[in-house]
Amino acid sequence: MRQAGRYMPAYRALRQKHGFWDVCKNPELSTEVAMQPIRRFDFDASIVFSDILVVPDALGLGVTFAKGEGPVFSHPLREASTLDTWNAEAAMEKLVFVPNAVHALREAIGTERALLGFAGAPWTLFCYCVEGQGSDDFRRARVMLHAQPELATRALSMLADITARLLVAQVHAGADAVQIFDTWGGLLSPFEYERFAIPALKSICDKVQAAHGKVILFVRAGHHLLPHLETLPVDGVSLDWRTPWKSARSLFPTRALQGNLDPLMLLAPDAEIRAATKRLLGEMGDFKRSIFNLGHGIVPETPEHAVDVLLKAIRS
Amino acid sequence: MRQAGRYMPAYRALRQKHGFWDVCKNPELSTEVAMQPIRRFDFDASIVFSDILVVPDALGLGVTFAKGEGPVFSHPLREASTLDTWNAEAAMEKLVFVPNAVHALREAIGTERALLGFAGAPWTLFCYCVEGQGSDDFRRARVMLHAQPELATRALSMLADITARLLVAQVHAGADAVQIFDTWGGLLSPFEYERFAIPALKSICDKVQAAHGKVILFVRAGHHLLPHLETLPVDGVSLDWRTPWKSARSLFPTRALQGNLDPLMLLAPDAEIRAATKRLLGEMGDFKRSIFNLGHGIVPETPEHAVDVLLKAIRS
């Protein structure tokens, strides 16, 4: 959940000198920023520094980050002919920096810590590809599901194919598990999610697990979808901050659960951080198959001190 | 769900000549725009033309709508001293145009159709008051719940008081029922919703029902909160497009349910509109205590023809 990021002064200092894509694409720099939170907080696991939009960029959609404005695509997906230009082999060659970053990070952290790779879920990537920028409802992408279902299904299938390749490459490079971020999954009804999102996710799980990698799935605002994820062979489910841990545990009794402290709690007074942490730990019960994490990305305004308070509360 | 709105050419024509606040505040104009969809589509119920932000504006927060940019507050709520300037009596005097609009609309529609009033939920109003503009996560408001809980509780209580007065005034002016829009309720965890949002909603329900009005509650993206609404004495629950009707019905077997076609389906081909409508009607079963509606606001790009297709599918 943005383990490395702007909440750390060390990260901001490094980013003064290097652009975001430059850090992602240079294994020394990406390892350095990924190691910053490990050195500072001694987390049990490390996650590669990358971005979910590396995939559409490698497919030729031209992704740039306007300062403070989010991503902008120079060539969004609007018609079927665009898909003919998508080439998974060529994209994978461009994306070699991702497994390279995983490999370098594994060298740096050794074998004592878990290492996570990640990618965006096909539906979430589809949202950005179609909209061509951030959005709060991704209206164009959602309409396309019903107005051009063949195009949508083909695009989702192609995105699933390249995402699976990228995740398998990260497993081969040393990742113990991969996390799939379905940031915009929560916009879909269960009917739509089952029809469009789940088949793409299923094919990814099968390929990653065939390569002996574990799969963790995060669906933001996906509480209504949880019962529909049961058929997916994911090893772990990452919960956003609004999902009660106990209801998720009763849905997934045998899988790993990850989450789900509200990252905004880290902007509250220390006593409130401790109280919320204690509540969540209480819900986790015996801690079996439980990974403590935030329930969404840590925000840039977070003081490092708050992370210290959180970790002390967990570890004690 | 924005029954009157930009999807109607007649509405756009009227808005060429009159500003948004001017239409809200003039009973003849607000009745005219509310009647446009009744005349064009012969809906079974009519809803007063207004906006949830009339309340913070009447409290002196200075709400304006920047073109295409959403609301902007000249005096957002940032500290406790601001609350000392809030005066419910004075605000109610300013808000008399709302019951006046309800009264005029009742005169226009007669007694054959149901008439709905509405207001924003205290939590949603609090979000806008604190943030001072739209947001996708209302970070400042959510942090305030934990960093300044006394201030937040006091503000929510004051917002509940004036909202209850406004809704009771609408009932007295002829509304059969009122809808409370908790557009940003879904941002909260059940723990937060129970602590901060529900007490405010409960006090509103009690007052409206004491005045013999019915209460319908809409919580956008609130699937995770539905089990926690059971203690609220609402007469009806309005569902957003992602909540499966059947699961809501099993939670609320004796109450009215309203919803919940995805408004974006109205941008799909006719056959898809018909199929989605048929699916939803099938889920409703015997239609008892069921109000067909959209599951969120109709979008401006919607062709009127699509609404015809929808209504024909329902009525047949």
Side-chain angles (χ1 to χ4, degrees):
Chain A
M1 295 297 173
R2 288 186 218 129
Q3 198 179 72
R6 284 181 284 161
Y7 74 104
M8 295 191 70
Y11 175 87
R12 294 197 298 268
L14 187 141
R15 282 293 314 285
Q16 289 282 332
K17 290 180 282 182
H18 304 281
F20 180 76
W21 276 149
D22 298 335
V23 178
C24 292
K25 293 182 179 181
N26 178 319
E28 276 178 42
L29 292 175
S30 73
T31 298
E32 170 56 23
V33 295
M35 289 303 292
Q36 287 171 349
I38 300 300
R39 287 193 296 258
R40 174 70 177 78
F41 300 110
D42 192 25
F43 291 123
D44 300 312
S46 179
I47 187 161
V48 68
F49 188 81
S50 186
D51 191 272
I52 66 169
L53 298 183
V54 296
V55 164
D57 192 54
L59 287 171
L61 282 76
V63 182
T64 52
F65 291 93
K67 196 161 176 94
E69 290 291 316
V72 177
F73 288 54
S74 58
H75 297 89
L77 169 62
R78 296 285 159 80
E79 47 200 22
S81 61
T82 303
L83 297 182
D84 300 331
T85 70
W86 288 11
N87 183 319
E89 303 288 343
M92 279 309 295
E93 283 180 30
K94 288 182 193 159
L95 288 169
V96 70
F97 66 87
V98 180
N100 285 350
V102 171
H103 184 78
L105 182 55
R106 173 54 88 191
E107 294 285 308
I109 64 167
T111 55
E112 293 300 299
R113 272 178 241 267
L115 176 51
L116 296 176
F118 75 90
W123 160 250
T124 287
L125 297 179
F126 178 80
C127 279
Y128 286 104
C129 289
V130 173
E131 206 77 25
Q133 59 187 30
S135 167
D136 56 0
D137 66 357
F138 287 95
R139 196 173 288 183
R140 203 186 277 265
R142 284 162 60 206
V143 169
M144 195 181 275
L145 294 182
H146 300 286
Q148 296 169 273
E150 300 80 11
L151 167 53
T153 303
R154 188 169 156 226
L156 286 162
S157 172
M158 293 176 78
L159 290 166
D161 174 52
I162 186 167
T163 300
R165 291 177 194 231
L166 181 64
L167 291 173
V168 167
Q170 292 180 68
V171 170
H172 288 157
D176 299 298
V178 294
Q179 180 142 323
I180 302 174
F181 287 95
D182 208 353
T183 311
W184 296 104
L187 289 175
L188 298 181
S189 69
F191 179 83
E192 293 170 320
Y193 205 75
E194 289 196 333
R195 180 170 169 201
F196 294 104
I198 286 193
L201 288 169
K202 171 83 168 58
S203 75
I204 293 172
C205 289
D206 291 344
K207 289 172 184 168
V208 173
Q209 289 165 338
H212 306 291
K214 304 281 189 192
V215 178
I216 301 169
L217 176 64
F218 175 74
V219 185
R220 191 167 71 93
H223 186 268
H224 59 297
L225 302 172
L226 287 181
H228 303 266
L229 302 182
E230 275 183 300
T231 56
L232 268 179
V234 294
D235 300 285
V237 179
S238 189
L239 307 172
D240 100 357
W241 74 96
R242 291 161 287 194
T243 298
W245 186 277
K246 283 186 176 177
S247 68
R249 175 53 79 206
S250 67
L251 272 173
F252 302 104
T254 61
R255 295 192 232 202
L257 289 183
Q258 176 175 279
N260 69 343
L261 190 78
D262 186 346
L264 297 190
M265 286 306 307
L266 296 177
L267 304 184
D270 292 359
E272 291 290 324
I273 298 173
R274 288 188 203 101
T277 305
K278 196 174 168 186
R279 269 200 309 278
L280 178 51
L281 290 169
E283 288 188 50
M284 287 180 179
D286 63 7
F287 305 153
K288 278 184 190 160
R289 300 175 304 281
S290 300
I291 303 167
F292 198 107
N293 203 331
L294 298 181
H296 197 212
I298 193 166
V299 301
E301 305 91 306
T302 307
E304 287 191 342
H305 165 75
V307 182
D308 291 326
V309 172
L310 168 65
L311 290 171
K312 193 170 174 190
I314 299 170
R315 286 168 176 156
S316 69
Chain B
M1 295 297 174
R2 289 186 217 128
Q3 199 179 71
R6 284 181 282 161
Y7 74 105
M8 294 190 72
Y11 175 87
R12 294 197 298 267
L14 188 142
R15 282 292 315 284
Q16 288 283 331
K17 290 180 281 182
H18 305 282
F20 180 76
W21 276 150
D22 298 336
V23 179
C24 292
K25 294 182 180 181
N26 179 319
E28 276 179 43
L29 292 175
S30 73
T31 298
E32 170 56 23
V33 295
M35 288 302 292
Q36 287 171 349
I38 301 299
R39 288 194 294 259
R40 174 70 177 79
F41 300 112
D42 191 25
F43 291 124
D44 300 313
S46 179
I47 186 161
V48 67
F49 189 81
S50 186
D51 192 272
I52 65 169
L53 298 183
V54 295
V55 165
D57 191 55
L59 287 169
L61 282 77
V63 182
T64 51
F65 291 94
K67 194 158 177 95
E69 291 290 318
V72 177
F73 287 53
S74 59
H75 297 89
L77 168 63
R78 295 287 158 78
E79 47 200 22
S81 61
T82 303
L83 296 183
D84 300 331
T85 70
W86 289 11
N87 183 321
E89 303 288 342
M92 278 309 295
E93 284 180 31
K94 288 183 192 160
L95 288 170
V96 70
F97 66 87
V98 180
N100 285 349
V102 171
H103 184 77
L105 182 55
R106 172 55 87 193
E107 294 285 307
I109 65 166
T111 55
E112 294 298 300
R113 273 176 240 267
L115 175 52
L116 296 175
F118 74 90
W123 160 250
T124 288
L125 297 179
F126 178 80
C127 280
Y128 287 104
C129 289
V130 173
E131 205 78 27
Q133 58 187 31
S135 166
D136 56 359
D137 66 359
F138 288 95
R139 195 173 287 183
R140 204 187 275 264
R142 284 163 59 205
V143 169
M144 194 181 276
L145 294 183
H146 301 288
Q148 296 170 272
E150 298 80 10
L151 167 53
T153 303
R154 188 170 157 229
L156 286 162
S157 171
M158 294 177 76
L159 289 166
D161 174 51
I162 185 167
T163 300
R165 291 176 194 234
L166 181 63
L167 291 173
V168 166
Q170 292 179 70
V171 170
H172 288 157
D176 300 298
V178 295
Q179 179 143 324
I180 302 174
F181 287 93
D182 208 353
T183 311
W184 296 104
L187 288 175
L188 297 181
S189 70
F191 178 82
E192 293 169 318
Y193 205 76
E194 289 195 333
R195 180 170 168 200
F196 294 104
I198 285 192
L201 288 169
K202 171 84 169 57
S203 74
I204 294 172
C205 289
D206 290 344
K207 291 172 185 169
V208 174
Q209 289 165 339
H212 306 291
K214 305 281 189 192
V215 178
I216 302 170
L217 176 63
F218 175 75
V219 186
R220 191 169 69 93
H223 186 268
H224 59 296
L225 303 172
L226 287 181
H228 304 265
L229 302 182
E230 275 182 301
T231 56
L232 268 179
V234 294
D235 301 285
V237 179
S238 188
L239 307 171
D240 100 355
W241 74 95
R242 291 160 287 195
T243 298
W245 187 276
K246 284 187 176 176
S247 68
R249 176 52 78 204
S250 66
L251 272 173
F252 302 104
T254 62
R255 294 192 233 202
L257 289 182
Q258 176 175 279
N260 74 338
L261 191 78
D262 186 344
L264 296 191
M265 286 306 308
L266 297 177
L267 304 184
D270 292 358
E272 292 290 325
I273 298 173
R274 289 189 202 102
T277 305
K278 196 174 167 185
R279 269 199 308 277
L280 178 52
L281 290 169
E283 287 187 53
M284 287 180 179
D286 63 7
F287 305 153
K288 279 184 190 160
R289 302 176 302 283
S290 300
I291 303 167
F292 199 108
N293 202 332
L294 298 181
H296 196 214
I298 193 167
V299 301
E301 305 91 306
T302 307
E304 287 191 341
H305 165 74
V307 182
D308 291 326
V309 171
L310 167 65
L311 290 171
K312 192 170 174 190
I314 298 169
R315 288 168 176 158
S316 69

